[in-house]
Structure formats: structure tokens, C-alpha cells
Amino acid sequence: MTANPILAEVVRGNWVENLHRGAFVVVDANGAIIASAGDIERAVFPRSAIKSMQALPIFAQHADEKFHHSDAELALACASHHGEDVHVNGVAGLLSRLGLSVADLECGAHAPTNAAARDALRAAGVEPSPLHNNCSGKHSGMLSVALAMGVPTAGYVGREHAVQKQVRAAVETVIGEPLSEGKCGTDGCSIPTFAAPLRAFAYGFARMATGTGLSPEYAAAARRLFDAATKHPHLVAGTGHADTRIMEAFNGRVMQKIGAQGVQCGAIRDKGWGYAIKCDDGDMHASQAMLAGLLLAIAEPDAAQREVLARYANQTIKSVRGAEVGVLRVTMPA
Amino acid sequence: MTANPILAEVVRGNWVENLHRGAFVVVDANGAIIASAGDIERAVFPRSAIKSMQALPIFAQHADEKFHHSDAELALACASHHGEDVHVNGVAGLLSRLGLSVADLECGAHAPTNAAARDALRAAGVEPSPLHNNCSGKHSGMLSVALAMGVPTAGYVGREHAVQKQVRAAVETVIGEPLSEGKCGTDGCSIPTFAAPLRAFAYGFARMATGTGLSPEYAAAARRLFDAATKHPHLVAGTGHADTRIMEAFNGRVMQKIGAQGVQCGAIRDKGWGYAIKCDDGDMHASQAMLAGLLLAIAEPDAAQREVLARYANQTIKSVRGAEVGVLRVTMPA
């Protein structure tokens, strides 16, 4: 297997300390490659980066007609949220309207990603619940699909459950590739995750951003989801996170979503391009540097957008005493 | 630059999710290569992996004759400790005997590495102090060197301070390579760290383990430090850490020390071999998998030692709900 190129590095003092290899691809909705590096045909797990694709059955199964998901609830369905009050309350609100509760979530409980929310919970002596799980918005959306389909909600995370079959079919439709049990794992939140070529995920984002090649129903659903996410960037991640800050700065032009283990996917909507990045070693900070470098290179950012991106393209490393001692920086052509 | 080989990988379900490249080398005290992979001449930052080398000036500057460091205090000088009571009290005890206090430590404060110690401190409403810094044992040792040399202790972390010049000279002596300001950075605890070929650090550990090629004074100091560390594995790291568990299991045969950003250094003392590992991307868990794979391959472990090593050679990845969903595993020839 040929090694992917070095796309980010850590420099300490005047010497390189770490190397981060990876691949990225930018593609239009017809599949034309705009830019790429590394092996873009290697199958990778997209993890949470494709939650917007996994939310499509909300529309395909007409759950939206039955439960009237708000834009905020759709943004939460696309989110890896940080467990702040607005996230937790948003998910709890949808569950309540579905006639369900936190007990129906099968994602498991973890402490809020947001440090202040985590500390507040601890100070209150409250154990984290599945509502605080960063995937609880996606899961509440999946529960709405189960109800709309008239199937039992219990076990909705299982590979053979009707909901996950719909999720898989929606992803296959959008990325234009079959998914396979031979390249399948279980995500941290217990649902299946299927590996597919990096290029296919970028292609899927380009198609969702433009509607090109999708049925009118899918195209409308994709537009509604991307509009919801880019209107509510704080709901898609949380305070201070790159996805939130980048989507805020681009004011609807960019749909951006992180995935665990160094995945980044998104779309530059006005250009009709989708992109996907995988850092080979799974480092999240390095993948954010790669993302920032890519958007600096291709998204024609204005000054304010450049300022936000520059913070991630060059991430300062500090000593315990707070002195700047190094930098994690993108090295890809930009 | 040729890519180093893949030495560890993450498999989720039935598909590879992450790749970790790196280099390792095992060498004897005459410099003969016993085993290696990747570019072992590339200069890497050893970070905390060479604290035992950085402790040599305690002897070279006769601080030991003046302050009579205990084995426990020498183990702490070699340690990246976890801020448990026994670590904090040990460092505080030496400082007190030196006529110094926590205020003289220039490493900065961070919360204890050990989760229970961290929670206890938080529950008591006590802010972490520099005593809790994982490097406070090394720093208290350096303060003893300053006092023995009769130089001001203030600024002892500085590159131009007499103590750091002695530390640099000791490392150069042991690894047999000049260190250079052209390959230098600042460590997290504010002292200088110099990059040198990975092979040289393994060679230094082989020389410290055997005394071969060292002056009688250096050889005796090295033996005293390795004896202290391997007699007190819990002081060198902490409860449940790989270094502690591995050194306990090998009962004096193996000196093992982790360094930040994926470095592992040590010696198989009865064989007279030193080893050094660097995970290119800095991943600590991956470097521990590589370490375990290397020791399984070359250290002739007994059944109990194999059991400890196997835990790190194959690290289970769990979902939030606790199901086994993947593994981080060593892939190097073993």
C-alpha cells in the first residue's frame, strides 16, 4: 500500500516532531475531481461526518410530515453536539413530542463534550445521560423514522433493524456506491458504520449540496438538512468548535461536519463542490488543520473567514506554563 | 522522505480504520543493531523518555553526596508520575530537604494524570500545583543539581542555565552524539529537548544498562538510576500505567519509559540491549502497542509478562455502551 502524503505536521522549536498523513478530495456533483491528494479510492469509515446523509430517511420515510421536525431538530440530527443545555433540551423536546423519552435512546451515556457543561453536571451531582451523548440528536431522528415506519423502536441501532436498513439505503443512494457488510463496523454510538471510498463521500456531499443526480424528494430533503445545519451551526457542534465557527463564518456557504478518527466532510454550496478528508492516523486536530488548509485553498474565503481558518491551519502548542513551544500546521499545498 | 512502515493499526469491525507508522530500533552497547524498522537515523525529540539520562548530573555534580537522594527520589527523577499522593509527597519531601518549596519548581501546574487523584483534588477544592506536574520529580532533581553546583536555582529550566548545560552534556555523553541548537525545542515542562537519531537513544539506554563505554562514575550512576526505577515502578508512572505494569512484571529485567508524542525508550538489562520507538504521528496508545509488540518479540517474556504485554499489543476499543467494536493492535513483525 502506497503511503499517503504528509498533510500536516507538528513542529516543536525548530524541528519536526510529528507527521500526519492523509488523503483529501474535492469533487463536483458530476464526479469531476477538482483537487485531491493521496489514495481517494481507499475505503474509510466516515463515522459522524455523514450524519446529514443518515438523516435523509426522516424525509424518505415521511417522519417529517408526521412530526414536523424544526430546523433546530434537523440540525441536531446532523450534529455531534457538545451536550450544552440547548442541545440537550432540543433533543429532549423532540423525544417528548415523539411520545418517547431518554430511556428509548440506545446511544449510551457519556459526559458532555463541552467542558463547562461537563463541570456543571458534575457540580450538580448529576450523572450524564444518553441525552448528553453527542449523537443523541441523530438517534432521536432515527427514533422518529421508526415511528413513521410503524416498526418497533427497540433495537433501532441494530444492523438488521428497518431503520438502519433505510439509513444504509439513503447513504448508498447519495454516495452512488454500494455499502458492504465486508467493510462494516460499529460506531461509538452503537449504529453501523460502513467504509466506502473517500471520493464517494465527497461526491455525496456535492450531490446533497446541489441536488444534481438525486430525486426531487432527496434533493429537497438534502437542501432542508443543509439549510438547517448552516442556519444553526451551534447546534451541529458547540461553543468554540471548528465546525460551528467555520459554518458561522461562511454564513451558509459551507456545510462542514467532523467525524471521529480524523474525518472531515462537507460542501462548498455555492460552488457545488463536496469534499472529504481522512487523516490516516485518526488525529482530530491534524484533520482540522487539513480542513482549514483545504478551505483556505479552495473556498475563496474573505478576510474574516481566513482569520477563523488560520486558527486551525496553524494550531499553537503551549507548554504547561503557557509559553508557545510549537505548532500543529497544515502542509498540504494551499 | 521515505515513509516509515505501518507498525500499528486500528481495526473497527472488519475494516482498518487508522494506520500508525513509525520506527523502532534495538541496539547493543557496542552499537550493533539487533532489530529495527523504519528510518532510525531520523532525529526525533525523546521528550520524557530520557529522564533517566537527564538525571545523571545528580551524580556527575555530586548532588547525591550532599543530599543523599533515596531510591524513591531517584525513581521520581526518572518519572512521568501520575500525581498520586505517593508521588506528590515524595517530591515535596526532597524539596523540603533541599530547603526549597513548590514555589521553586518551574515546570508549571497541571491536574494529576491519575483520575482518582484528579477527582480527589477537585472534590477538596484544591487547585493543582507544580507538585502534581508529572515532571516534578525530574525538576526537584535538577534543583538539587543547581544547589550542588552552587548556582542560582531561579531559571534552572533555561537553555543557558548551568543545570541544563550539564543535562545536555550528560545526554551527549551517553548517546554518543552531539546535540544541536538547530534541532531543539522546549518541552511541556519548560526545559529544553533536543532531537537526535532514534538509534542514538537506544544506544544510550544500552550503555546505561551495561556501563559499556561509560566512565566508572557514569556507569555507577546509570546503574543506580535504573535500579531505583525498576525497584519502584509505581513511582516512575502510576497506577495502571503500562510503564509501571511492564516494569513490575519484568522484575528488574526491563527499564521502560514513555515520552510524549509516541516515544518509548528502555533497556532489556540482562541482554544488554537498549531500544527506542517513535510513532510518527505522536499517538501514545499506538506507541504502547508497538512497545508491547517489540518486547513480546525480543524480551523472551514468561507467561505472566506476556499477559501484561498482550493487553497493550491488542487494545480493545469499546462503544459508549461498552461493547467491543474494534482493536488498536501492533502490526510489526513479532
Side-chain angles (χ1 to χ4, degrees), chain B residues 113-131:
Chain B
T113 304
N114 179 274
R118 202 162 58 234
D119 289 348
L121 211 62
R122 189 200 302 257
V126 176
E127 287 293 311
S129 86
L131 287 172

Side-chain angles (χ1 to χ4, degrees), chain A residues 196-258:
Chain A
L198 190 66
R199 177 196 44 72
F201 294 117
Y203 178 59
F205 269 84
R207 281 153 61 96
M208 284 185 72
T210 59
T212 303
L214 300 180
S215 69
E217 293 73 20
Y218 261 75
R223 168 171 285 279
R224 179 89 200 280
L225 286 163
F226 278 18
D227 281 349
T230 56
K231 270 183 205 160
H232 297 283
H234 181 259
L235 295 181
V236 179
T239 304
H241 188 261
D243 287 5
T244 295
R245 297 190 65 203
I246 289 169
M247 284 197 283
E248 282 173 352
F250 278 91
N251 197 26
R253 283 188 61 217
V254 170
M255 167 72 188
Q256 157 56 30
K257 185 66 188 70
I258 199 169

Side-chain angles (χ1 to χ4, degrees), chain A residues 152-314:
Chain A
T153 60
Y156 71 91
V157 298
R159 215 172 281 191
E160 296 305 320
H161 190 279
V163 167
Q164 296 306 329
K165 287 184 177 173
Q166 291 300 326
V167 169
R168 174 176 169 171
V171 175
E172 287 175 324
T173 297
V174 170
I175 70 172
E177 296 274 342
L179 299 176
S180 157
E181 291 279 335
K183 300 177 185 174
C184 186
T186 301
D187 214 320
C189 70
S190 297
I191 71 162
T193 179
F194 293 89
L198 190 66
R199 177 196 44 72
F201 294 117
Y203 178 59
F205 269 84
R207 281 153 61 96
M208 284 185 72
T210 59
T212 303
L214 300 180
S215 69
E217 293 73 20
Y218 261 75
R223 168 171 285 279
R224 179 89 200 280
L225 286 163
F226 278 18
D227 281 349
T230 56
K231 270 183 205 160
H232 297 283
H234 181 259
L235 295 181
V236 179
T239 304
H241 188 261
D243 287 5
T244 295
R245 297 190 65 203
I246 289 169
M247 284 197 283
E248 282 173 352
F250 278 91
N251 197 26
R253 283 188 61 217
V254 170
M255 167 72 188
Q256 157 56 30
K257 185 66 188 70
I258 199 169
Q261 302 302 324
V263 179
Q264 306 286 346
C265 286
I268 303 165
R269 302 176 73 189
D270 56 328
K271 290 186 179 286
W273 295 344
Y275 59 83
I277 303 169
K278 166 68 180 172
C279 176
D280 286 354
D281 58 66
D283 190 278
M284 304 298 276
H285 293 291
S287 76
Q288 289 179 321
M290 296 173 192
L291 166 68
L294 186 65
L295 292 179
L296 282 167
I298 65 163
E300 296 183 28
D302 65 23
Q305 292 157 356
R306 291 188 77 86
E307 195 177 318
V308 169
L309 294 173
R311 172 190 164 152
Y312 297 100
N314 293 280

